[in-house]
Amino acid sequence: PPGATPPPGYNAPPPGYAAAQPPLSDSDQRMWAMLSHLGAILIGFIAPLIVWLMYKERGRFVEEQSKDSLNFQITLLIAYVVAIILTVVTLGILFFLPWIVWAVSLVFCIIAAIAANKGEAYRYPFALRLIK
């Protein structure tokens, strides 16, 4: 009937459609950007990938930082593969290469997390820009 109130959930989006999410606050963007860098220390490219996919449309800062972290982690994955292959080919003479890659990863991820927590954009000094 005209003038009747619609039933609960009537104005909700249909199943399978997500409602537009509100933008993140500055502090939330800094937190998620920092977690994309720190999470990469523990679970590699998966942490920045999840942050990027979940929050890329809710804030420019978190989008850029998680994307940069993801690109760096992909670069590190390639470096790990090369380091392990070189270690095997040289019969262990270059056993320290994977450890160097790990140390570089740790240092740069911590620096990036600190910068992101301050709200400063951080660009890794070397990373393949595969995700644009």
Side-chain angles (χ1 to χ4, degrees):
T5 59
Y10 182 77
N11 292 325
Y17 289 91
Q21 297 292 320
L24 292 172
S25 67
D26 287 344
S27 63
D28 284 345
Q29 285 196 63
R30 289 194 316 267
M31 177 193 67
W32 284 110
M34 178 188 67
L35 289 176
S36 74
H37 294 294
L38 287 180
I41 295 171
L42 300 174
I43 55 176
F45 72 91
I46 295 171
L49 178 63
I50 290 171
V51 171
W52 182 62
L53 290 174
M54 289 180 61
Y55 297 108
K56 68 181 176 181
E57 295 171 356
R58 295 184 61 192
R60 187 173 191 174
F61 182 71
V62 72
E63 176 186 3
E64 290 173 356
Q65 289 301 294
S66 59
K67 188 171 24 174
D68 208 40
S69 179
L70 179 58
N71 282 325
F72 184 64
Q73 292 306 313
I74 292 170
T75 303
L76 285 175
L77 183 62
I78 294 167
Y80 275 121
V81 169
V82 170
I84 290 170
I85 289 171
L86 286 173
T87 301
V88 170
V89 168
T90 62
L91 301 175
I93 293 174
L94 299 177
F95 71 93
F96 55 87
L97 284 181
W99 292 103
I100 290 173
V101 173
W102 175 79
V104 166
S105 168
L106 185 66
V107 168
F108 283 121
C109 286
I110 290 172
I111 291 170
I114 291 170
N117 192 37
K118 292 179 184 176
E120 301 168 0
Y122 183 80
R123 295 280 291 194
Y124 289 95
F126 55 91
L128 301 173
R129 308 287 179 218
L130 301 173
I131 309 295
K132 297 186 190 248

